[in-house]
Amino acid sequence: MSGNISAANVEETLRDFWATRPRRPHDGRKIAGVAAGIAQRYQIDPVIVRVAFVAMALCNGAGVLIYLLGWLLLAQADDEVSAAESLLGRGRSSTPTALTILLGIAVIPATGFFVDGGFTMVGGVLLSVGSIYLLHRGRGQLNRPDAPAFTVGEPVSTDDQTTARVSPPAWDPLGAAPFAWDLPEPSSSTPAAPVVPAPRQVRRRSRVGVATFGAAMVTLAGSLVASSYSPWFTFEHVLGLLVAVFGAGMVLGALRGNGGRGLLWLVVPMSVLGVALTSIDFDGINPDRIGSTNAKPTSVEQVDARYTTSIGEVDLDLTGLPNTGSVTTEVEVGLGSAKVRVPADADVTVTCRAELGSVACLDKKSDGKDSHVEVSSNGADGEGGLKIVLDVRSEVGDVEVSRG
């Protein structure tokens, strides 16, 4: 290869990165300290590193894969080796062995091999290696860990009380008295020069932000044109491309030492919107059905087969029904909450689901993504009387079924 970049240079840079790789600090971490460690090692804003991970996470989850690998391969600040190296018996790590094994197992689905044929693995690894090379090549000299002490010809243990000198002191330039090199340097009678405050540096205006915004606009225009020829260019995918462009601009601005951080106000809301669009199914939301629905039927015939709203709340009170008969109904909410109250003595069979939210279904609860609870309860009087079959769900929001 021509120029300054060659295979030897890349290999040397990656070797130096591994030898001086970041350590995960205890302070400033959000999860495992991977982003905080990278930011601390290369003296860049940790927010930029976290945004870069979010941007890569939108690209088929590559950011999740890279974060898991960082968790496994980067040691904590006070550990001898990383969690993965400790599992191989190469030193001490405070990460529990069980957690290390779980992280290693989690790497397998994060590669995307069983979902998209390994695109995540290939793309994520190539992107991470390229980013590490550029980052370490530009800022690898910053905040390097202390080198071990050496004598002439052999290493000295860091556990020793004293550290041998590798060069003669100023008072013995010929090295005639090495036995006395541990004596302190004689003090100089020359008065110290007065400390003059350094002139205030004027921060140069960076062109990175303007250039990145221009590149994002070109990407947006190209995506709009390409959407006429390929169905891949959906709103979610185009948003992911824009986040990637802005994230690359922020990283470039951080490497140059100025500029780029102003893009944060664009990247963060776009990243949040991108995660929401890729995590939530909005197919069930109909703009024609927006608002709250409240119903309290007093007879079996008054109970509708289905109660729905796209955005709002459904509050269904069945406590006024008689103690005989059978009722089957569904409650579906796109964005909002679904609440159902049933009589204390009714025999109830209910299925509660929430794509993203919390579920409290009689005496069972579930929180998070894809919450799902199924309950059958005969009430306080045992089996017999009114029978109710419910299917209550919400795409995004809370689901609650309780006895009146």
Side-chain angles (χ1 to χ4, degrees):
M1 295 178 61
S2 61
N4 295 327
I5 299 179
S6 65
N9 288 337
V10 173
E11 182 180 1
E12 181 181 356
T13 301
L14 293 179
R15 282 179 180 273
D16 186 66
F17 162 78
W18 182 254
T20 63
R21 64 191 184 273
R23 284 182 169 265
R24 298 183 287 113
H26 293 285
D27 300 330
R29 61 168 56 186
K30 298 300 182 183
I31 302 176
V34 176
I38 295 173
Q40 188 179 89
R41 168 66 175 87
Y42 298 105
Q43 296 184 2
I44 57 179
D45 195 328
V47 175
I48 295 177
V49 183
R50 294 186 179 108
V51 170
F53 272 111
V54 172
M56 286 197 298
L58 296 178
C59 300
N60 288 64
V64 177
L65 170 63
I66 304 305
Y67 197 93
L68 289 174
L69 292 176
W71 197 338
L72 285 168
L73 299 177
L74 301 183
Q76 283 197 142
D78 52 356
D79 289 350
E80 294 178 355
V81 295
S82 65
E85 292 171 309
S86 177
L87 194 63
L88 299 176
R90 297 181 179 178
R92 179 189 59 82
S93 173
S94 59
T95 304
T97 302
L99 177 59
T100 303
I101 295 175
L102 289 176
L103 292 173
I105 296 174
V107 167
I108 298 175
T111 61
F113 183 80
F114 299 104
V115 179
D116 57 10
F119 172 79
T120 301
M121 176 176 61
V122 176
V125 169
L126 290 178
L127 181 61
S128 62
V129 171
S131 301
I132 289 171
Y133 173 79
L134 294 176
L135 186 62
H136 194 77
R137 185 176 176 87
R139 304 178 71 87
Q141 76 281 3
L142 302 175
N143 200 24
R144 295 178 66 86
D146 295 333
F150 289 93
T151 60
V152 180
E154 66 179 18
V156 176
S157 173
T158 55
D159 296 331
D160 295 342
Q161 297 294 324
T162 61
T163 302
R165 299 189 60 141
V166 298
S167 60
W171 58 267
D172 187 17
L174 299 179
F179 56 86
W181 284 2
D182 57 341
L183 294 177
E185 295 281 358
S187 59
S188 174
S189 59
T190 304
V195 178
V196 179
R200 183 178 180 182
Q201 295 182 351
V202 179
R203 187 174 183 179
R204 296 179 300 172
R205 185 179 298 276
S206 174
R207 299 180 180 177
V208 172
V210 177
T212 303
F213 189 81
M217 293 301 99
V218 172
T219 302
L220 177 60
S223 300
L224 293 177
V225 174
S227 62
S228 302
Y229 303 94
S230 174
W232 185 87
F233 289 90
T234 61
F235 180 79
E236 293 87 344
H237 289 166
V238 173
L239 185 62
L241 290 175
L242 294 177
V243 170
V245 172
F246 283 125
M250 294 177 66
V251 173
L252 179 60
L255 293 178
R256 291 173 58 90
N258 59 355
R261 187 165 183 175
L263 299 172
L264 182 66
W265 304 106
L266 285 173
V267 174
V268 170
M270 291 173 64
S271 300
V272 173
L273 179 60
V275 171
L277 290 175
T278 53
S279 303
I280 302 170
D281 182 14
F282 292 95
D283 292 339
I285 298 180
N286 186 345
D288 296 332
R289 300 196 310 269
I290 297 177
S292 298
T293 299
N294 296 278
K296 188 175 181 179
T298 56
S299 66
V300 172
E301 293 75 17
Q302 292 179 355
V303 178
D304 295 337
R306 196 163 181 254
Y307 296 88
T308 66
T309 185
S310 292
I311 300 177
E313 179 185 65
V314 172
D315 191 337
L316 178 60
D317 188 350
L318 301 179
T319 57
L321 295 178
N323 197 30
T324 58
S326 178
V327 170
T328 299
T329 186
E330 297 180 2
V331 176
E332 183 176 0
V333 177
L335 180 62
S337 61
K339 297 181 180 180
V340 180
R341 286 180 295 277
V342 297
D345 297 331
D347 297 346
V348 181
T349 300
V350 56
T351 300
C352 298
R353 284 173 283 187
E355 295 293 332
L356 185 63
S358 63
V359 168
C361 199
L362 295 180
D363 57 345
K364 292 186 178 181
K365 296 182 178 180
S366 178
D367 296 305
K369 193 175 185 298
D370 296 328
S371 301
H372 184 191
V373 170
E374 295 184 5
V375 181
S376 293
S377 174
N378 293 326
D381 63 345
E383 186 176 1
L386 178 65
K387 297 185 181 298
I388 300 177
V389 178
L390 295 173
D391 187 352
V392 188
R393 69 184 71 181
S394 175
E395 295 288 340
V396 181
D398 299 332
V399 172
E400 179 183 351
V401 177
S402 60
R403 288 189 180 273

